[in-house]
Amino acid sequence: MSESKNGTVTGEDEVVDLCSELIRIDTSNYGDHSGPGERAAAEYVAEKLAEVGLAPEIFESRQGRASTVARIEGEDRSRPALLIHGHLDVVPANADDWTRHPFSGEVADGCVWGRGAVDMKDMDAMTLAVVRDRLRTGRKPPRDIVLAFLADEEAGGVFGARHLVDNHRGLFDGVTEAIGEVGGFSFTVNENLRLYLIETAEKGMHWMRLTVDGTAGHGSMTNKDNAITELCEAVARLGRHEFPVRVTKSVRGFLDELSDAFGVELDPEDMETTLAKLGGVARMIGTTLRNTAAPTMLGAGYKVNVIPGQATAHVDGRFLPGYEEEFLAELDTVLGPRVKRETLHSDKALETGFDGSLVEAMQSALKAEDPIARAVPYMLSGGTDAKSFDDLGIRCFGFAPLQLPPELDFAGMFHGVDERVPVDGLRFGVRVLDRFIDNS
């Protein structure tokens, strides 16, 4: 553990160690409970919070699937509380594909490496570092803060945030606002301007199974009712289909900021030139202009000379706020009448305004640490645990602040190989979060 010169450990001193230690706890979520679960990480977090005087609770929704929650008393307990949430689970990683072992938490080349480094054990570590520093030095937040370190976000949050919202709502009494993942990261425009993307919206999801029933038969015979043929034609149509552009208020705000930053008028119907300027971040932004439906799995048959009577496919569908009904209707039109569509998991789309005192606190905290910072709203093409907390009337933002080097493919780090987070970015995030709490 590193220490500052006067011998007192600060949040900036310990955030790297906290991040490394969290990464070394394998919390891979395979979506079927076959993984290690989050219990060990939940206990680690609880221990770190208890060391500085909090009374964290661990909630296990299923054996090994655990979340840790704690409340910090603020100076003014009559004010609504703030929720800071992060998830402890990560997607799986194949060590053979990585330069450094995905669960090593190794610090090298100015980064902390490993699965979860950006999604999202970096924010878990920053939150722990800031909270521990504030409690060690007796600095109460202006209002109550609820801390939630959650299970199962990578599989929809059923055994994490959703479990707590449905079964332990009292934990979030008085909470009106929240910050979580996939926001607050930087995009450098030039030497005089760095945009920090604050998530104010996220797409909804429909994970679905498509089924076509046909006539089973011998593979050597002509069969004009082949389920595989019918399904593949429908899946190909869907995979090539381009849904119409729909500009929501968050995307409009982001496009306006980009127009100003690049000094060009942007046409939402022709974004190729603009997206090219955004590098890797374009992968996160480009799909927020339309609904999307990506075929991800195919299944049929059991023997090479047998035409099966049924074929199935799986599709990851994402819809924009306010466009769920349009999305489903268009989906069925593209698929055609022979395809049966079954929703396996669905969740809502979210959108809030880029205004209010919490947004101002984000902006001022970023500006204080980075004079060329400009906070801008954006929509996340995926989803987060904010969907569950929205059911409690909590206004949610993505704000896990990181200042990133321009050459780092940040978007490619999410669920990618060689995931890593800059050490300087973590320390920057600690300073920003600390200022943010003071102003929140």
Side-chain angles (χ1 to χ4, degrees), residues 65-121:
R65 310 307 305 277
S67 302
T68 298
V69 182
R71 183 179 285 254
I72 306 172
E73 291 188 6
E75 293 284 358
D76 184 355
R77 305 207 70 197
S78 69
R79 289 184 59 195
L82 171 69
L83 169 65
I84 301 178
H85 63 94
H87 62 85
L88 296 171
D89 63 321
V90 298
V91 296
N94 182 0
D96 291 340
D97 297 333
W98 287 57
T99 303
R100 293 176 171 83
H101 196 284
F103 299 105
S104 67
E106 184 178 347
V107 180
D109 299 329
C111 292
V112 182
W113 294 65
R115 177 60 85 219
V118 301
D119 187 15
M120 64 170 294
K121 289 180 175 178

CSV table of all heavy atoms in Angstrom, one decimal, residues 65-121:
chain,number,residue,atom,x,y,z
A,65,ARG,N,-24.4,-15.3,-5.1
A,65,ARG,CA,-24.7,-14.1,-5.8
A,65,ARG,C,-25.1,-13.0,-4.8
A,65,ARG,O,-26.2,-12.9,-4.3
A,65,ARG,CB,-26.0,-14.4,-6.7
A,65,ARG,CG,-25.9,-15.6,-7.6
A,65,ARG,CD,-24.6,-15.7,-8.4
A,65,ARG,NE,-24.4,-14.5,-9.2
A,65,ARG,CZ,-24.9,-14.3,-10.4
A,65,ARG,NH1,-25.8,-15.2,-11.0
A,65,ARG,NH2,-24.6,-13.2,-11.1
A,66,ALA,N,-24.1,-12.2,-4.5
A,66,ALA,CA,-24.2,-11.3,-3.4
A,66,ALA,C,-23.9,-9.8,-3.8
A,66,ALA,O,-23.1,-9.6,-4.7
A,66,ALA,CB,-23.2,-11.7,-2.3
A,67,SER,N,-24.6,-8.9,-3.1
A,67,SER,CA,-24.4,-7.5,-3.2
A,67,SER,C,-24.1,-6.9,-1.8
A,67,SER,O,-24.6,-7.4,-0.8
A,67,SER,CB,-25.6,-6.8,-3.8
A,67,SER,OG,-26.0,-7.4,-5.1
A,68,THR,N,-23.4,-5.8,-1.8
A,68,THR,CA,-23.1,-5.1,-0.5
A,68,THR,C,-23.7,-3.7,-0.6
A,68,THR,O,-23.5,-3.0,-1.6
A,68,THR,CB,-21.6,-5.0,-0.3
A,68,THR,OG1,-21.0,-6.4,-0.2
A,68,THR,CG2,-21.2,-4.3,1.0
A,69,VAL,N,-24.3,-3.3,0.5
A,69,VAL,CA,-25.0,-2.0,0.6
A,69,VAL,C,-24.6,-1.3,1.9
A,69,VAL,O,-24.6,-2.0,2.9
A,69,VAL,CB,-26.5,-2.1,0.4
A,69,VAL,CG1,-27.1,-0.7,0.5
A,69,VAL,CG2,-26.9,-2.8,-0.9
A,70,ALA,N,-24.4,-0.1,1.9
A,70,ALA,CA,-24.1,0.7,3.1
A,70,ALA,C,-24.6,2.1,2.9
A,70,ALA,O,-24.7,2.6,1.8
A,70,ALA,CB,-22.6,0.7,3.4
A,71,ARG,N,-24.9,2.8,4.0
A,71,ARG,CA,-25.4,4.2,4.0
A,71,ARG,C,-24.4,5.0,4.8
A,71,ARG,O,-24.0,4.7,5.9
A,71,ARG,CB,-26.8,4.3,4.5
A,71,ARG,CG,-27.3,5.7,4.4
A,71,ARG,CD,-28.8,5.8,5.0
A,71,ARG,NE,-29.7,5.3,4.1
A,71,ARG,CZ,-30.6,6.0,3.3
A,71,ARG,NH1,-30.6,7.3,3.4
A,71,ARG,NH2,-31.5,5.4,2.5
A,72,ILE,N,-24.0,6.2,4.2
A,72,ILE,CA,-23.2,7.2,4.9
A,72,ILE,C,-24.1,8.3,5.3
A,72,ILE,O,-24.8,8.9,4.5
A,72,ILE,CB,-22.1,7.7,4.0
A,72,ILE,CG1,-21.2,6.5,3.4
A,72,ILE,CG2,-21.2,8.6,4.8
A,72,ILE,CD1,-20.2,7.0,2.4
A,73,GLU,N,-24.0,8.7,6.6
A,73,GLU,CA,-24.8,9.8,7.1
A,73,GLU,C,-24.2,11.1,6.6
A,73,GLU,O,-23.0,11.3,6.7
A,73,GLU,CB,-24.9,9.8,8.6
A,73,GLU,CG,-25.7,8.6,9.2
A,73,GLU,CD,-26.0,8.8,10.7
A,73,GLU,OE1,-25.6,9.8,11.2
A,73,GLU,OE2,-26.5,7.9,11.3
A,74,GLY,N,-25.1,12.0,6.1
A,74,GLY,CA,-24.7,13.3,5.6
A,74,GLY,C,-24.8,14.4,6.7
A,74,GLY,O,-25.4,14.1,7.7
A,75,GLU,N,-24.3,15.6,6.3
A,75,GLU,CA,-24.5,16.7,7.2
A,75,GLU,C,-25.9,17.1,7.4
A,75,GLU,O,-26.4,17.4,8.5
A,75,GLU,CB,-23.7,17.9,6.7
A,75,GLU,CG,-22.1,17.7,6.7
A,75,GLU,CD,-21.5,17.8,8.1
A,75,GLU,OE1,-22.3,18.1,9.0
A,75,GLU,OE2,-20.3,17.6,8.2
A,76,ASP,N,-26.7,17.1,6.3
A,76,ASP,CA,-28.1,17.5,6.4
A,76,ASP,C,-28.9,16.3,6.0
A,76,ASP,O,-29.2,16.0,4.8
A,76,ASP,CB,-28.3,18.6,5.4
A,76,ASP,CG,-29.8,19.2,5.5
A,76,ASP,OD1,-30.6,18.6,6.2
A,76,ASP,OD2,-30.1,20.2,4.8
A,77,ARG,N,-29.4,15.6,7.0
A,77,ARG,CA,-30.2,14.3,6.7
A,77,ARG,C,-31.6,14.6,6.3
A,77,ARG,O,-32.3,13.6,5.9
A,77,ARG,CB,-30.1,13.5,8.0
A,77,ARG,CG,-28.7,13.2,8.5
A,77,ARG,CD,-28.7,11.8,9.2
A,77,ARG,NE,-28.8,10.7,8.3
A,77,ARG,CZ,-29.1,9.5,8.7
A,77,ARG,NH1,-29.3,9.3,10.0
A,77,ARG,NH2,-29.3,8.5,7.9
A,78,SER,N,-32.0,15.9,6.3
A,78,SER,CA,-33.3,16.2,5.8
A,78,SER,C,-33.3,16.2,4.2
A,78,SER,O,-34.4,16.2,3.6
A,78,SER,CB,-33.8,17.5,6.3
A,78,SER,OG,-33.1,18.6,5.8
A,79,ARG,N,-32.2,16.3,3.6
A,79,ARG,CA,-32.1,16.4,2.2
A,79,ARG,C,-32.3,15.0,1.6
A,79,ARG,O,-31.9,14.0,2.2
A,79,ARG,CB,-30.7,16.9,1.8
A,79,ARG,CG,-30.5,18.4,2.0
A,79,ARG,CD,-29.1,18.8,1.4
A,79,ARG,NE,-29.1,18.5,0.0
A,79,ARG,CZ,-27.9,18.5,-0.7
A,79,ARG,NH1,-26.8,18.7,-0.1
A,79,ARG,NH2,-28.0,18.3,-2.0
A,80,PRO,N,-32.8,14.9,0.3
A,80,PRO,CA,-32.8,13.6,-0.4
A,80,PRO,C,-31.4,13.0,-0.5
A,80,PRO,O,-30.4,13.7,-0.6
A,80,PRO,CB,-33.4,14.0,-1.7
A,80,PRO,CG,-34.1,15.3,-1.5
A,80,PRO,CD,-33.3,16.0,-0.5
A,81,ALA,N,-31.4,11.7,-0.5
A,81,ALA,CA,-30.1,11.0,-0.5
A,81,ALA,C,-29.6,10.8,-2.0
A,81,ALA,O,-30.4,10.8,-2.9
A,81,ALA,CB,-30.2,9.7,0.2
A,82,LEU,N,-28.3,10.5,-2.1
A,82,LEU,CA,-27.7,10.2,-3.4
A,82,LEU,C,-27.2,8.7,-3.3
A,82,LEU,O,-26.7,8.3,-2.4
A,82,LEU,CB,-26.4,11.1,-3.6
A,82,LEU,CG,-25.5,10.8,-4.8
A,82,LEU,CD1,-26.2,11.1,-6.1
A,82,LEU,CD2,-24.2,11.5,-4.6
A,83,LEU,N,-27.5,8.0,-4.4
A,83,LEU,CA,-27.0,6.6,-4.6
A,83,LEU,C,-25.8,6.6,-5.5
A,83,LEU,O,-25.8,7.2,-6.6
A,83,LEU,CB,-28.1,5.8,-5.2
A,83,LEU,CG,-27.8,4.4,-5.7
A,83,LEU,CD1,-27.4,3.5,-4.5
A,83,LEU,CD2,-28.9,3.8,-6.5
A,84,ILE,N,-24.8,5.9,-5.1
A,84,ILE,CA,-23.6,5.6,-5.9
A,84,ILE,C,-23.5,4.1,-6.1
A,84,ILE,O,-23.4,3.4,-5.1
A,84,ILE,CB,-22.3,6.2,-5.3
A,84,ILE,CG1,-22.4,7.7,-5.1
A,84,ILE,CG2,-21.1,5.8,-6.2
A,84,ILE,CD1,-21.1,8.3,-4.5
A,85,HIS,N,-23.7,3.6,-7.3
A,85,HIS,CA,-23.8,2.2,-7.5
A,85,HIS,C,-22.8,1.7,-8.5
A,85,HIS,O,-22.4,2.4,-9.4
A,85,HIS,CB,-25.2,1.8,-7.9
A,85,HIS,CG,-25.7,2.3,-9.2
A,85,HIS,ND1,-25.6,1.6,-10.4
A,85,HIS,CD2,-26.3,3.5,-9.5
A,85,HIS,CE1,-26.1,2.4,-11.3
A,85,HIS,NE2,-26.6,3.5,-10.8
A,86,GLY,N,-22.4,0.5,-8.3
A,86,GLY,CA,-21.5,-0.2,-9.3
A,86,GLY,C,-21.7,-1.7,-9.2
A,86,GLY,O,-22.2,-2.2,-8.1
A,87,HIS,N,-21.4,-2.4,-10.2
A,87,HIS,CA,-21.5,-3.9,-10.2
A,87,HIS,C,-20.2,-4.6,-10.0
A,87,HIS,O,-19.2,-4.1,-10.4
A,87,HIS,CB,-22.3,-4.4,-11.4
A,87,HIS,CG,-21.6,-4.2,-12.7
A,87,HIS,ND1,-20.6,-5.0,-13.2
A,87,HIS,CD2,-21.8,-3.2,-13.7
A,87,HIS,CE1,-20.3,-4.6,-14.4
A,87,HIS,NE2,-20.9,-3.5,-14.7
A,88,LEU,N,-20.3,-5.7,-9.3
A,88,LEU,CA,-19.1,-6.5,-9.0
A,88,LEU,C,-18.8,-7.6,-10.0
A,88,LEU,O,-17.7,-8.1,-10.0
A,88,LEU,CB,-19.2,-7.1,-7.6
A,88,LEU,CG,-19.3,-6.1,-6.4
A,88,LEU,CD1,-19.7,-6.8,-5.1
A,88,LEU,CD2,-18.0,-5.4,-6.2
A,89,ASP,N,-19.8,-8.0,-10.8
A,89,ASP,CA,-19.6,-9.1,-11.7
A,89,ASP,C,-18.9,-8.6,-13.0
A,89,ASP,O,-19.0,-7.4,-13.3
A,89,ASP,CB,-20.9,-9.8,-12.0
A,89,ASP,CG,-21.9,-8.9,-12.7
A,89,ASP,OD1,-22.0,-7.7,-12.3
A,89,ASP,OD2,-22.6,-9.3,-13.7
A,90,VAL,N,-18.3,-9.5,-13.7
A,90,VAL,CA,-17.7,-9.2,-15.0
A,90,VAL,C,-18.0,-10.2,-16.0
A,90,VAL,O,-18.5,-11.3,-15.6
A,90,VAL,CB,-16.1,-9.1,-14.9
A,90,VAL,CG1,-15.7,-8.0,-13.9
A,90,VAL,CG2,-15.6,-10.5,-14.4
A,91,VAL,N,-17.9,-9.9,-17.3
A,91,VAL,CA,-18.1,-11.0,-18.3
A,91,VAL,C,-16.9,-11.9,-18.3
A,91,VAL,O,-15.8,-11.5,-17.8
A,91,VAL,CB,-18.3,-10.4,-19.7
A,91,VAL,CG1,-19.5,-9.5,-19.7
A,91,VAL,CG2,-17.1,-9.5,-20.1
A,92,PRO,N,-17.0,-13.1,-18.8
A,92,PRO,CA,-15.9,-14.1,-18.7
A,92,PRO,C,-14.7,-13.6,-19.6
A,92,PRO,O,-14.9,-12.8,-20.5
A,92,PRO,CB,-16.5,-15.4,-19.3
A,92,PRO,CG,-18.0,-15.2,-19.0
A,92,PRO,CD,-18.3,-13.8,-19.2
A,93,ALA,N,-13.6,-14.2,-19.4
A,93,ALA,CA,-12.4,-13.9,-20.2
A,93,ALA,C,-11.6,-15.1,-20.4
A,93,ALA,O,-11.4,-15.9,-19.5
A,93,ALA,CB,-11.5,-12.8,-19.5
A,94,ASN,N,-11.1,-15.3,-21.7
A,94,ASN,CA,-10.2,-16.4,-22.0
A,94,ASN,C,-8.7,-16.0,-21.9
A,94,ASN,O,-8.3,-15.1,-22.7
A,94,ASN,CB,-10.5,-16.9,-23.4
A,94,ASN,CG,-9.6,-18.1,-23.8
A,94,ASN,OD1,-8.8,-18.6,-23.0
A,94,ASN,ND2,-9.8,-18.6,-25.0
A,95,ALA,N,-8.0,-16.5,-20.9
A,95,ALA,CA,-6.7,-16.0,-20.6
A,95,ALA,C,-5.7,-16.2,-21.8
A,95,ALA,O,-4.8,-15.4,-22.0
A,95,ALA,CB,-6.1,-16.8,-19.4
A,96,ASP,N,-6.0,-17.2,-22.6
A,96,ASP,CA,-5.1,-17.4,-23.8
A,96,ASP,C,-5.1,-16.3,-24.8
A,96,ASP,O,-4.2,-16.1,-25.5
A,96,ASP,CB,-5.5,-18.7,-24.5
A,96,ASP,CG,-5.2,-20.0,-23.6
A,96,ASP,OD1,-4.4,-19.9,-22.7
A,96,ASP,OD2,-5.8,-21.0,-23.9
A,97,ASP,N,-6.2,-15.5,-24.7
A,97,ASP,CA,-6.3,-14.4,-25.7
A,97,ASP,C,-5.6,-13.1,-25.2
A,97,ASP,O,-5.5,-12.1,-26.0
A,97,ASP,CB,-7.8,-14.1,-26.0
A,97,ASP,CG,-8.5,-15.3,-26.6
A,97,ASP,OD1,-7.8,-16.0,-27.3
A,97,ASP,OD2,-9.7,-15.4,-26.4
A,98,TRP,N,-5.2,-13.0,-24.0
A,98,TRP,CA,-4.8,-11.8,-23.3
A,98,TRP,C,-3.3,-11.7,-23.3
A,98,TRP,O,-2.6,-12.7,-23.2
A,98,TRP,CB,-5.3,-11.7,-21.9
A,98,TRP,CG,-6.8,-11.4,-21.8
A,98,TRP,CD1,-7.8,-12.1,-22.4
A,98,TRP,CD2,-7.4,-10.3,-21.1
A,98,TRP,NE1,-9.0,-11.6,-22.1
A,98,TRP,CE2,-8.8,-10.5,-21.3
A,98,TRP,CE3,-6.9,-9.3,-20.4
A,98,TRP,CZ2,-9.7,-9.5,-20.7
A,98,TRP,CZ3,-7.8,-8.4,-19.8
A,98,TRP,CH2,-9.2,-8.5,-20.0
A,99,THR,N,-2.8,-10.5,-23.4
A,99,THR,CA,-1.3,-10.2,-23.2
A,99,THR,C,-0.9,-10.5,-21.7
A,99,THR,O,0.1,-11.0,-21.5
A,99,THR,CB,-1.0,-8.7,-23.6
A,99,THR,OG1,-1.4,-8.5,-24.9
A,99,THR,CG2,0.5,-8.5,-23.4
A,100,ARG,N,-1.8,-10.0,-20.8
A,100,ARG,CA,-1.6,-10.3,-19.4
A,100,ARG,C,-2.8,-11.0,-18.9
A,100,ARG,O,-3.9,-10.8,-19.3
A,100,ARG,CB,-1.3,-9.0,-18.6
A,100,ARG,CG,0.0,-8.3,-19.0
A,100,ARG,CD,0.2,-7.0,-18.4
A,100,ARG,NE,1.5,-6.5,-18.6
A,100,ARG,CZ,1.9,-5.8,-19.7
A,100,ARG,NH1,1.1,-5.6,-20.7
A,100,ARG,NH2,3.2,-5.4,-19.9
A,101,HIS,N,-2.6,-11.8,-17.8
A,101,HIS,CA,-3.7,-12.6,-17.3
A,101,HIS,C,-4.9,-11.7,-16.9
A,101,HIS,O,-4.7,-10.7,-16.2
A,101,HIS,CB,-3.3,-13.5,-16.2
A,101,HIS,CG,-4.2,-14.6,-15.9
A,101,HIS,ND1,-5.4,-14.4,-15.2
A,101,HIS,CD2,-4.2,-15.9,-16.2
A,101,HIS,CE1,-6.1,-15.6,-15.1
A,101,HIS,NE2,-5.3,-16.5,-15.7
A,102,PRO,N,-6.1,-12.1,-17.4
A,102,PRO,CA,-7.3,-11.2,-17.1
A,102,PRO,C,-7.6,-11.1,-15.6
A,102,PRO,O,-8.4,-10.1,-15.3
A,102,PRO,CB,-8.4,-11.8,-17.9
A,102,PRO,CG,-8.0,-13.3,-18.1
A,102,PRO,CD,-6.5,-13.2,-18.2
A,103,PHE,N,-7.1,-11.9,-14.8
A,103,PHE,CA,-7.5,-11.8,-13.4
A,103,PHE,C,-6.2,-11.6,-12.5
A,103,PHE,O,-6.2,-11.9,-11.3
A,103,PHE,CB,-8.3,-13.0,-12.9
A,103,PHE,CG,-9.6,-13.2,-13.6
A,103,PHE,CD1,-9.7,-14.1,-14.6
A,103,PHE,CD2,-10.6,-12.3,-13.4
A,103,PHE,CE1,-10.9,-14.3,-15.3
A,103,PHE,CE2,-11.8,-12.4,-14.1
A,103,PHE,CZ,-12.0,-13.4,-15.0
A,104,SER,N,-5.2,-11.0,-13.1
A,104,SER,CA,-4.0,-10.7,-12.4
A,104,SER,C,-4.0,-9.3,-11.7
A,104,SER,O,-3.3,-9.1,-10.7
A,104,SER,CB,-2.8,-10.7,-13.4
A,104,SER,OG,-2.9,-9.6,-14.3
A,105,GLY,N,-4.8,-8.4,-12.3
A,105,GLY,CA,-4.7,-7.0,-11.7
A,105,GLY,C,-3.4,-6.4,-11.9
A,105,GLY,O,-3.0,-5.5,-11.1
A,106,GLU,N,-2.6,-6.8,-12.8
A,106,GLU,CA,-1.2,-6.4,-13.0
A,106,GLU,C,-1.2,-4.9,-13.3
A,106,GLU,O,-2.0,-4.4,-14.1
A,106,GLU,CB,-0.5,-7.2,-14.1
A,106,GLU,CG,0.9,-6.8,-14.3
A,106,GLU,CD,1.6,-7.7,-15.4
A,106,GLU,OE1,1.0,-8.7,-15.8
A,106,GLU,OE2,2.7,-7.3,-15.8
A,107,VAL,N,-0.2,-4.2,-12.8
A,107,VAL,CA,0.0,-2.8,-13.1
A,107,VAL,C,1.2,-2.7,-14.0
A,107,VAL,O,2.3,-3.1,-13.6
A,107,VAL,CB,0.2,-1.9,-11.8
A,107,VAL,CG1,0.5,-0.5,-12.2
A,107,VAL,CG2,-0.9,-2.0,-10.9
A,108,ALA,N,1.0,-2.3,-15.3
A,108,ALA,CA,2.1,-2.3,-16.2
A,108,ALA,C,1.8,-1.2,-17.3
A,108,ALA,O,0.6,-1.0,-17.6
A,108,ALA,CB,2.3,-3.6,-16.9
A,109,ASP,N,2.8,-0.6,-17.8
A,109,ASP,CA,2.7,0.4,-18.9
A,109,ASP,C,1.7,1.5,-18.5
A,109,ASP,O,0.9,2.0,-19.3
A,109,ASP,CB,2.2,-0.2,-20.2
A,109,ASP,CG,3.2,-1.3,-20.7
A,109,ASP,OD1,4.4,-1.1,-20.5
A,109,ASP,OD2,2.8,-2.3,-21.3
A,110,GLY,N,1.7,1.9,-17.2
A,110,GLY,CA,0.8,3.0,-16.7
A,110,GLY,C,-0.6,2.6,-16.6
A,110,GLY,O,-1.5,3.5,-16.4
A,111,CYS,N,-1.0,1.3,-16.6
A,111,CYS,CA,-2.4,0.9,-16.6
A,111,CYS,C,-2.5,-0.2,-15.6
A,111,CYS,O,-1.6,-1.0,-15.3
A,111,CYS,CB,-2.9,0.4,-17.9
A,111,CYS,SG,-3.0,1.7,-19.2
A,112,VAL,N,-3.8,-0.4,-15.1
A,112,VAL,CA,-4.2,-1.6,-14.3
A,112,VAL,C,-4.9,-2.5,-15.3
A,112,VAL,O,-5.9,-2.1,-16.0
A,112,VAL,CB,-5.1,-1.3,-13.2
A,112,VAL,CG1,-5.4,-2.5,-12.4
A,112,VAL,CG2,-4.5,-0.3,-12.2
A,113,TRP,N,-4.4,-3.7,-15.5
A,113,TRP,CA,-4.9,-4.7,-16.5
A,113,TRP,C,-5.8,-5.7,-15.8
A,113,TRP,O,-5.6,-6.2,-14.7
A,113,TRP,CB,-3.7,-5.4,-17.2
A,113,TRP,CG,-2.8,-4.5,-18.0
A,113,TRP,CD1,-2.0,-3.5,-17.5
A,113,TRP,CD2,-2.6,-4.6,-19.4
A,113,TRP,NE1,-1.4,-2.9,-18.6
A,113,TRP,CE2,-1.7,-3.6,-19.7
A,113,TRP,CE3,-3.2,-5.4,-20.4
A,113,TRP,CZ2,-1.3,-3.3,-21.1
A,113,TRP,CZ3,-2.7,-5.2,-21.7
A,113,TRP,CH2,-1.8,-4.2,-22.0
A,114,GLY,N,-6.8,-6.1,-16.6
A,114,GLY,CA,-7.6,-7.2,-16.2
A,114,GLY,C,-9.1,-7.0,-16.5
A,114,GLY,O,-9.6,-5.9,-16.7
A,115,ARG,N,-9.8,-8.2,-16.4
A,115,ARG,CA,-11.2,-8.1,-16.7
A,115,ARG,C,-11.9,-7.3,-15.6
A,115,ARG,O,-11.8,-7.6,-14.4
A,115,ARG,CB,-11.8,-9.5,-16.8
A,115,ARG,CG,-13.3,-9.6,-17.0
A,115,ARG,CD,-13.7,-8.9,-18.3
A,115,ARG,NE,-13.7,-9.8,-19.4
A,115,ARG,CZ,-13.3,-9.4,-20.6
A,115,ARG,NH1,-12.8,-8.1,-20.8
A,115,ARG,NH2,-13.2,-10.2,-21.6
A,116,GLY,N,-12.7,-6.3,-16.0
A,116,GLY,CA,-13.4,-5.4,-15.1
A,116,GLY,C,-12.6,-4.1,-14.9
A,116,GLY,O,-13.1,-3.2,-14.2
A,117,ALA,N,-11.5,-3.9,-15.5
A,117,ALA,CA,-10.7,-2.7,-15.3
A,117,ALA,C,-11.5,-1.5,-15.7
A,117,ALA,O,-11.4,-0.4,-15.1
A,117,ALA,CB,-9.4,-2.7,-16.1
A,118,VAL,N,-12.4,-1.6,-16.7
A,118,VAL,CA,-13.2,-0.4,-17.1
A,118,VAL,C,-14.7,-0.8,-16.9
A,118,VAL,O,-15.6,0.1,-16.9
A,118,VAL,CB,-13.0,0.1,-18.5
A,118,VAL,CG1,-11.6,0.5,-18.7
A,118,VAL,CG2,-13.4,-1.0,-19.6
A,119,ASP,N,-15.0,-2.1,-16.7
A,119,ASP,CA,-16.4,-2.5,-16.6
A,119,ASP,C,-16.6,-3.5,-15.5
A,119,ASP,O,-16.7,-4.7,-15.7
A,119,ASP,CB,-16.9,-3.1,-17.9
A,119,ASP,CG,-18.4,-3.3,-18.0
A,119,ASP,OD1,-19.1,-2.9,-17.1
A,119,ASP,OD2,-18.8,-4.1,-18.9
A,120,MET,N,-16.8,-3.0,-14.2
A,120,MET,CA,-16.6,-1.6,-13.8
A,120,MET,C,-15.9,-1.5,-12.5
A,120,MET,O,-16.2,-0.8,-11.6
A,120,MET,CB,-17.9,-0.9,-13.8
A,120,MET,CG,-18.9,-1.4,-12.8
A,120,MET,SD,-20.4,-0.3,-12.5
A,120,MET,CE,-19.7,1.2,-11.9
A,121,LYS,N,-14.9,-2.4,-12.3
A,121,LYS,CA,-14.2,-2.4,-11.0
A,121,LYS,C,-13.3,-1.2,-10.8
A,121,LYS,O,-12.9,-0.9,-9.7
A,121,LYS,CB,-13.4,-3.7,-10.8
A,121,LYS,CG,-14.3,-4.9,-10.6
A,121,LYS,CD,-13.5,-6.2,-10.5
A,121,LYS,CE,-14.5,-7.3,-10.2
A,121,LYS,NZ,-13.9,-8.7,-10.1
